[in-house]
Amino acid sequence: MTIGPSAFLGLAAVLFTLGLYGAVARKSAVMVLMSLELMAVAVNLNMVALSRFVTPTEMTGQFFAIFTMVVSAAEIGLGLALVLAIYRQTRSIELSSIDSLKG
Amino acid sequence: MNESVNGVAFIILAFASIGGAVGMLTTRNIIHAAFWLLEVMVAVGGLYLLLSAEFLAVVQILIYAGAVSVLMLFVVMLTLRRREDSVRPVEVSIGGGIMAAVFGTIMYVAIARYGDRVGEMPAVVPDTAALGELLFTRWALPFEVASLVLLVALVGAVWWSREED
């Protein structure tokens, strides 16, 4: 039994789809950030798999994955700081309570 | 001569990661969701090992399973006043379901049509020493920019989360 690139791409697509659903469906800001992390990991898995199959010596996909990890680590740090700041203002992390810009 | 991925290990790790993601989305307890996310991250680290990306596997465990999950748990614990607050009502979104279904169908069609253009896994195995060498020669400028991004994010996170006076 051989595992081709499409198995990895399919797995990454399933993970990304689940993360997409979670980011839209969940009402807690922390849960939305967790779903975003799930999507970032799915993208990384794609890049590492294609790097192994297409450019095993240049490892371009692995470098792209490293830089994606840097950006998503920065994003998660800033996102959680923002959640804490919002919690100080409204005493809640529900997304439905952040509606001060509503007309 | 081509290399190949261990099929049994791939299937176990695939089930672990998808099961973890489903568990994260269906659990009502937000603390349990953070632990399910940790499980997904560890399983994906195992998949990186299968793809002989050892450095990325270790970084995945350190950054995602270590730092990000602990950060999530910290924020959950800082923003909950009582233990009961961590259990949330079941949240179902029909719009989100439709969106995810459409996206998943498009991905399925694309992979079914173009996924096997890449072909067999080459016998050349990427090695960590070469990765380090390339990172500090060819990718040195992006590497420095990445450190700048992290510095700005660090300062920004401290600035946003400080106590107002």
Side-chain angles (χ1 to χ4, degrees), chain A residues 59-80:
Chain A
M59 295 174 279
T60 314
Q62 290 199 31
F63 289 109
F64 275 38
I66 290 174
F67 296 125
T68 314
M69 277 182 185
V70 169
V71 172
S72 89
E75 167 232 314
I76 207 69
L78 286 177
L80 289 174

Side-chain angles (χ1 to χ4, degrees), chain B residues 6 8 24 38-39 54 76 93 106 135 146 151 156 162 165:
Chain B
N6 186 338
V8 179
M24 183 189 115
L38 202 159
E39 195 257 323
E54 290 89 4
V76 169
S93 159
I106 294 172
L135 185 61
L151 176 69
R162 83 198 196 287
D165 40 35

Side-chain angles (χ1 to χ4, degrees), chain B residues 112-159:
Chain B
R113 184 172 287 185
Y114 303 111
D116 277 322
R117 286 207 172 172
V118 181
E120 301 279 297
M121 181 179 266
V124 191
V125 178
D127 72 311
T128 310
L131 185 128
E133 220 174 287
L134 277 172
L135 185 61
F136 287 109
T137 51
R138 196 168 156 204
W139 298 87
L141 181 66
F143 181 77
E144 297 298 332
V145 174
S147 65
L148 198 65
V149 168
L150 280 179
L151 176 69
V152 172
L154 179 75
V155 174
V158 171
W159 180 262

Side-chain angles (χ1 to χ4, degrees), chain A residues 1 3 5-11 13-18 20-22 24-28 30-31 33-35 37-38 40-41 44-45 48-50 52-54 56-60 62-67 69-70 72-74 76-78 80-85 87-88 91 93-94, chain B residues 3 7 10-11 17-18 21 24-25 27 30 33-34 37 40-41 44 47-48 51-53 56 59-60 64 68 71-72 75-76 78-79 81 88 91-93 96-97 99-100 103-104 107 111 115-116 118-119 121-122 124 126 130-131 134-135 139 142-143 146 150 153 156-157 160-163:
Chain A
M1 180 181 158
I3 301 290
S6 48
F8 284 97
L9 296 185
L11 173 63
V14 170
L15 286 181
F16 193 95
T17 309
L18 288 170
L20 183 65
Y21 173 74
V24 177
R26 302 308 297 255
K27 303 256 176 1
S28 155
V30 178
M31 282 298 307
L33 285 175
M34 282 188 210
S35 305
E37 284 304 293
L38 195 59
V41 160
N44 275 345
L45 182 60
V48 175
L50 284 180
R52 177 73 184 89
F53 281 99
V54 183
T57 46
E58 288 99 41
M59 295 174 279
T60 314
Q62 290 199 31
F63 289 109
F64 275 38
I66 290 174
F67 296 125
M69 277 182 185
V70 169
S72 89
I76 207 69
L78 286 177
L80 289 174
L82 203 54
V83 168
L84 276 183
Y87 178 75
R88 282 226 187 79
R91 306 314 271 168
I93 57 165
E94 301 296 309
Chain B
E3 288 268 314
F10 175 80
I11 287 175
S17 53
I18 292 177
M24 183 189 115
L25 292 176
T27 182
I30 197 164
L37 183 69
V40 176
M41 298 305 180
V44 172
L47 286 169
Y48 289 168
L51 291 164
S52 38
L56 273 176
V59 169
Q60 170 86 7
Y64 283 109
V68 168
L71 209 59
M72 294 277 183
V75 171
V76 169
L78 281 174
T79 53
R81 267 161 290 176
R88 312 173 47 77
E91 293 155 341
V92 182
S93 159
M99 196 170 133
F103 179 81
M107 282 291 118
I111 291 169
D116 277 322
V118 181
M121 181 179 266
V124 191
L131 185 128
L134 277 172
L135 185 61
W139 298 87
F143 181 77
L150 280 179
W160 268 345
S161 57
R162 83 198 196 287
E163 200 73 58

